Amino acid sequence: MSYYVYDDKKIYYYETGSGHPLLLLHGNTASSKIFAQIAEEYSKSFKVILIDFLGHGLSDRLEKFPSDLWFYEAQQVIAFLRFKQYTDVYIIGSSGGAIVALNVALEAPDLVKK
């Protein structure tokens, strides 16, 4: 399993396929598992990236969720993209993950393509 560190905590990520990076972001009460089937299909054309935000899935737990959760999660994504040196990334988010995707595009437009 692959992890990167943000805010002294381990965040799980999974990559499959090859091609242009496509990041799929889960919503508030889920984990990256919600994208298991679609990630397999997209991996035929893209490098699919799944992340479990802190407090979700296989990532480290939080004592409590911050009031600015979607911004905090966007910072986790930006740290990941910089860690992997990805730019021009396509991002799709579900539910709260869509808001995170918008925040990533607003805070780090140099990393996001669509």
Side-chain angles (χ1 to χ4, degrees):
M1 289 193 279
S2 299
Y3 292 88
Y4 71 102
V5 176
Y6 177 80
D7 204 18
D8 294 323
K9 293 180 175 40
K10 292 187 334 183
I11 298 177
Y12 168 79
Y13 71 94
Y14 174 77
E15 298 177 294
T16 184
S18 61
H20 201 94
L22 170 63
L23 177 61
L24 303 176
L25 301 176
H26 66 80
N28 297 357
T29 60
S31 73
S32 62
K33 281 188 177 185
I34 68 165
F35 295 117
Q37 289 180 336
I38 198 163
E40 184 178 326
E41 188 63 31
Y42 276 131
S43 70
K44 296 173 185 174
S45 303
F46 297 94
K47 178 179 203 116
V48 177
I49 306 155
L50 306 176
I51 291 175
D52 284 344
F53 295 124
L54 288 173
H56 298 84
L58 299 173
S59 292
D60 284 348
R61 297 290 161 247
L62 296 171
E63 287 187 31
K64 69 177 194 170
F65 289 101
S67 59
D68 61 347
L69 179 65
W70 297 319
F71 183 79
Y72 184 62
E73 290 175 341
Q75 296 304 310
Q76 294 170 45
V77 172
I78 292 167
F80 171 79
L81 296 176
R82 291 194 172 133
F83 166 70
K84 295 293 286 188
Q85 298 180 354
Y86 288 141
T87 57
D88 296 329
V89 177
Y90 298 149
I91 304 178
I92 297 174
S94 171
S95 187
I99 298 171
V100 173
L102 290 171
N103 282 334
V104 171
L106 290 169
E107 294 296 316
D110 55 310
L111 303 177
V112 179
K113 176 88 172 184
K114 297 181 182 184

